[in-house]
Amino acid sequence: MASKLQQLQSKACQASKFVSKHGTAYYKQLLEQNKQYIQEPPTVEKCNELSKQLFYTRLASVPGRYESLKKELDYAKNLWKNRKELKVEDAGIAALFGLECFAWFCAGEIIGRGFTFTGYYV
């Protein structure tokens, strides 16, 4: 057990040394590659303006999304009306989609519980 701890400590020390040597170079390279996205001067006012632009741009996209939702719901209603003509492939795809939604829900619950399967910490 003690040897495993020493191995872990040495690996952490090596990783720390690597980051201290190469971290700043990576940071500078990343900023250089993405300098077209950097706003000058970096002030609080500029950040507030950008956040408002993002918010209202997203808000402006709601009507288009609402129309897409209506189209998808109409398609689902049409499928339900004509369910006697439904093919096995379509039913299988719908079942897999429902199963995927349930799996993502379960994964979110597990993550929300702090990666435990038994329950929430109180």
Side-chain angles (χ1 to χ4, degrees):
M1 183 72 171
S3 65
K4 294 276 186 187
L5 184 61
Q6 287 179 340
Q7 287 177 348
L8 183 63
Q9 285 176 339
S10 69
K11 295 266 185 194
C13 185
Q14 289 173 356
S16 175
K17 288 178 184 176
F18 180 81
V19 168
S20 66
K21 282 184 183 177
H22 303 290
T24 56
Y26 175 73
Y27 176 75
K28 288 178 183 176
Q29 177 189 6
L30 187 66
L31 285 180
E32 185 63 32
Q33 288 174 346
N34 297 297
K35 66 182 173 185
Q36 70 269 18
Y37 303 115
I38 298 173
Q39 292 292 320
E40 293 294 337
T43 61
V44 173
E45 292 82 16
K46 191 65 173 176
C47 290
N48 287 336
E49 179 186 350
L50 289 172
S51 68
K52 285 182 182 179
Q53 284 178 350
L54 175 64
F55 174 75
Y56 288 110
T57 301
R58 300 290 289 175
L59 192 62
S61 70
V62 169
R65 293 177 186 196
Y66 183 71
E67 289 299 319
S68 296
L69 175 67
K70 282 176 52 177
K71 287 179 185 176
E72 289 183 27
L73 285 176
D74 288 341
Y75 177 74
K77 287 178 188 177
N78 191 25
L79 276 179
W80 186 252
K81 284 181 186 176
N82 302 325
R83 63 182 175 265
K84 295 186 191 258
E85 301 170 8
L86 191 64
K87 296 183 223 167
V88 176
E89 294 88 15
D90 294 334
I93 289 171
L96 285 175
F97 177 73
L99 186 64
E100 182 182 1
C101 289
F102 180 71
W104 280 111
F105 169 77
C106 291
E109 282 290 310
I110 291 168
I111 291 169
R113 291 180 186 151
F115 297 97
T116 63
F117 292 100
T118 56
Y120 294 99
Y121 293 120
V122 180

